Amino acid sequence: MTFERITTWCITVVAGLVTAGCGSGGTRSPGVTVEYILRLPGTATPVQFHNTEGVEITIREAVLVLWSQTLEDTCTGPDFAHWPRRMWTWILPAAHAHADADPRVQPVPHLLSLVPAVTEEIFLGSAAPPPGTYCGLSVALRQADTDTMGLEHHPDMLGQTLSVRGTYRINGAEPVSFTVSTGRTLVPARRLLPAPLELSAALPRAQILLKIQYDRWFDGIDVENLDDPVQQELLFGNITESVRVVSVSRP
Amino acid sequence: MPSRPGLTLLALTLLLLGPRWAVACSTCMSGDPTLTTLGLEKPFPGRLRITAGVMYRTESVGRDRIDHKDLTQTTATLALAWWPRADLALGVRLPWVWKEIKHTNTAETWTSALGDLSLDLRYYLTQYGGTQGHHLFALTASLRIPTAAQIHERGRPLDFDAQPGTGQSLIEPGFWYGFYAYPWFGSAQVAGQIGIGTGYQGYRFGNGFRASVLGQYAATRNLALQAGVDVRWSAPDSLGGMDDPDSGGFIGHLGMGLVVNVRPDLLLAARGQLPVLDALHGDHDEGPIVRVELAYDF
């Protein structure tokens, strides 16, 4: 083989590689994406309200962990019925990994300061579900772990799901302080969407807005007996019911 | 879809070679008229061969509507093989890789980039049988070097399965046997596959082995027909310290192909492989593989 041919080959290879190198790279289209946003009251000061029994409740601090949100395409079970309160609890297994392979799940847990609330909206995260028509949403309420967003502002909430601190006043009497906290997994909130949500290549994006009606937590609760396990179960049931879907939009 | 630069490389290669094709007659030099594709050549000192090939394959992993991915891969490879001695062959292979992944949520990932460089060595132990040496035995070794860059978008690496390379070195020690008895030709090879180090995104290749048996019959002086079986087994890969449940296992392909002597020392080969034995782990399926190769001996 001649030196000339070798040289030609070397030039060809180098030129080809250089040319080819200019075209390298990659990209990804997002596909179907659902974003979750939580609307907060934006109240920096303690909040005051009355429960259905007429008791004046003042909340100085309310912290709740939203573990995950899951789109549901089957909503025929009683879990999705709108029951005003639950008389029983469902104990879920304690250990669950965040990295759920189910693409319908938004897996990033958030520790939410409802009172005081310094922001008005929190981006909880997004999910990449497969195309389909979805009718409902499940919101898991579970103990904070070291990966929970917002834990740095409430480090004492590690291993806890809920912490509520405030006072109650019955018929103008002196305010009585109370504190309720738990590290239990609460019953997940299962809600129907306002309308079936169709997700496809043609309709790939949606945004779901949630809120938590914490001013309904003490409805039907005997606040003088918050240490009673029955009253606590009722309270936890009210907390599950307080998670609401405000709207579903197409950004 | 192959990119313009990749096609440019191939076209330039052929154009620059075309007017200067000389009748080197590798079959004359090797003393054997068998038409041989890359890796099956008969050695003689000073032999130099360049090969340009394209391979197309598909693959799917994951559970439907959970983590399913459909992968389409096209690889164009430029290879150079040189025999400095009659008992030693050295080779280098450089691929350009195009990948497309369709995810379960209709997202799509595309990459197009230079792949990992491979260095090949073949040491011929002995050749005997008749005046032309019917039986050839050789030790083989390949080293895949992680030269492919990891592809990022907006500062984050794209899906690992879409990357042109793994970021991990791979060595393949093996043994090869060739039987030359024109118009018949046969070969058998077995090689281990051993990953070295850790690749991109914490990837570690599941070590394993591959084996192949090939039979070839020359229908005419310029056309040969091939049939063969290729098998592969590997342990599961791991990514980020966790075993990938949809990787590893055993798969066997049945292959058919042909080799055409286009002009002196220029061969065109085409081969298809169909998976016929599938014991891959988890939710993992591989589709047929199609290869087209152009080889020129200087």
Side-chain angles (χ1 to χ4, degrees):
Chain A
M1 183 172 179
T2 63
F3 177 78
E4 184 183 1
R5 184 171 292 208
I6 294 172
T7 305
T8 303
W9 256 112
C10 290
I11 293 171
T12 305
V13 170
V14 172
L17 286 174
V18 170
T19 308
C22 296
S24 67
T27 188
R28 174 180 169 131
S29 66
V32 173
T33 307
V34 176
E35 296 178 340
Y36 294 90
I37 297 176
L38 179 73
R39 175 179 291 167
L40 295 171
T43 306
T45 56
V47 294
Q48 196 174 82
F49 51 89
H50 292 80
N51 68 359
T52 51
E53 282 62 42
V55 178
E56 180 185 280
I57 307 291
T58 301
I59 303 293
R60 300 192 181 280
E61 182 182 80
V63 183
L64 179 66
V65 178
L66 261 60
W67 182 262
S68 66
Q69 297 81 48
T70 303
L71 275 179
E72 302 284 358
D73 54 11
T74 303
C75 306
T76 55
D79 291 343
F80 282 93
H82 177 63
W83 288 8
R85 61 176 65 90
R86 294 185 181 277
M87 300 300 294
W88 49 272
T89 58
W90 169 30
I91 306 300
L92 299 177
H96 281 264
H98 291 296
D100 196 337
D102 191 340
R104 300 173 302 147
V105 178
Q106 188 296 108
V108 179
H110 286 262
L111 192 152
L112 305 167
S113 177
L114 303 174
V115 179
V118 296
T119 61
E120 293 191 353
E121 284 190 353
I122 290 180
F123 176 69
L124 298 175
S126 61
T133 301
Y134 297 91
C135 53
L137 175 70
S138 292
V139 179
L141 307 166
R142 207 174 287 175
Q143 325 66 21
D145 65 5
T146 53
D147 294 331
T148 301
M149 303 291 286
L151 185 64
E152 64 276 13
H153 303 302
H154 297 273
D156 55 318
M157 282 294 293
L158 181 64
Q160 297 293 303
T161 306
L162 165 78
S163 177
V164 184
R165 191 168 53 84
T167 62
Y168 65 85
R169 191 158 73 166
I170 300 175
N171 295 328
E174 284 297 307
V176 178
S177 298
F178 70 86
T179 300
V180 179
S181 65
T182 184
R184 278 174 41 185
T185 298
L186 304 188
V187 175
R190 291 192 162 87
R191 299 285 171 264
L192 289 171
L193 298 179
L197 175 61
E198 181 187 343
L199 296 170
S200 63
L203 298 169
R205 294 189 63 194
Q207 196 174 76
I208 298 178
L209 181 63
L210 305 173
K211 70 175 180 181
I212 298 175
Q213 293 179 289
Y214 59 86
D215 57 346
R216 302 265 65 89
W217 284 359
F218 294 90
D219 288 349
I221 303 295
D222 180 2
V223 296
E224 293 181 285
N225 291 293
L226 285 175
D227 291 336
D228 181 2
V230 173
Q231 297 303 315
Q232 289 198 351
E233 293 300 330
L234 292 173
L235 173 62
F236 298 154
N238 284 352
I239 292 172
T240 294
E241 291 299 318
S242 71
V243 179
R244 296 290 177 182
V245 176
V246 177
S247 65
V248 178
S249 59
R250 304 272 188 186
Chain B
M1 179 68 182
S3 74
R4 190 169 298 174
L7 292 174
T8 301
L9 171 63
L10 189 57
L12 279 173
T13 302
L14 297 176
L15 282 172
L16 286 170
L17 283 179
R20 299 187 179 186
W21 286 332
V23 182
C25 192
S26 59
T27 55
C28 307
M29 295 297 292
S30 66
D32 193 308
T34 303
L35 303 177
T36 54
T37 53
L38 185 68
L40 307 177
E41 306 89 343
K42 248 198 167 178
F44 58 84
R47 183 171 195 170
L48 182 66
R49 167 178 268 196
I50 188 165
T51 305
V54 177
M55 181 271 294
Y56 175 86
R57 62 181 287 270
T58 61
E59 186 177 353
S60 68
V61 293
R63 295 157 291 172
D64 188 35
R65 295 182 63 79
I66 302 295
D67 52 1
H68 186 85
K69 299 179 203 174
D70 287 315
L71 167 70
T72 301
Q73 177 180 342
T74 305
T75 303
T77 304
L78 196 63
L80 194 66
W82 175 47
W83 285 255
R85 299 172 3 191
D87 61 352
L88 183 66
L90 303 173
V92 59
R93 287 174 286 142
L94 188 63
W96 187 273
V97 184
W98 297 268
K99 286 188 177 180
E100 177 183 345
I101 296 181
K102 293 185 179 178
H103 301 264
T104 196
N105 72 326
T106 76
E108 294 184 1
T109 305
W110 303 273
T111 58
S112 170
L114 214 53
D116 291 332
L117 181 76
S118 291
L119 302 176
D120 303 313
L121 181 147
R122 180 168 300 206
Y123 178 68
Y124 298 89
L125 295 171
T126 184
Q127 174 176 304
Y128 72 90
T131 57
Q132 297 178 338
H134 293 303
H135 307 279
L136 240 61
F137 298 87
L139 296 175
T140 63
S142 286
L143 172 65
R144 192 178 71 195
I145 303 170
T147 53
Q150 187 172 210
I151 306 296
H152 293 75
E153 186 182 49
R154 292 185 210 142
R156 297 181 64 182
L158 291 178
D159 193 302
F160 178 81
D161 291 322
Q163 299 294 338
T166 63
Q168 186 188 31
S169 297
L170 186 74
I171 59 171
E172 295 184 82
F175 179 80
W176 175 83
Y177 165 72
F179 171 70
Y180 299 80
Y182 188 83
W184 294 99
F185 166 73
S187 73
Q189 180 172 22
V190 60
Q193 296 179 306
I194 305 165
I196 302 172
T198 302
Y200 299 130
Q201 302 177 38
Y203 172 79
R204 294 183 69 89
F205 175 75
N207 296 336
F209 73 90
R210 57 180 176 84
S212 61
V213 174
L214 177 75
Q216 178 176 302
Y217 176 74
T220 71
R221 200 79 174 175
N222 296 314
L223 173 66
L225 305 175
Q226 293 180 332
V229 173
D230 303 274
V231 299
R232 185 186 83 228
W233 176 88
S234 67
D237 301 334
S238 67
L239 198 61
M242 296 175 60
D243 280 354
D244 180 355
D246 299 323
S247 67
F250 176 87
I251 188 167
H253 289 87
L254 183 65
M256 307 266 306
L258 54 85
V259 184
V260 178
N261 189 24
V262 179
R263 44 183 296 170
D265 286 315
L266 180 65
L267 297 184
L268 175 67
R271 188 166 186 233
Q273 292 171 278
L274 197 66
V276 293
L277 292 172
D278 185 342
L280 296 172
H281 295 154
D283 297 283
H284 184 194
D285 291 303
E286 294 190 11
I289 304 172
V290 178
R291 303 174 198 269
V292 176
E293 182 183 291
L294 202 62
Y296 179 74
D297 278 277
F298 291 91

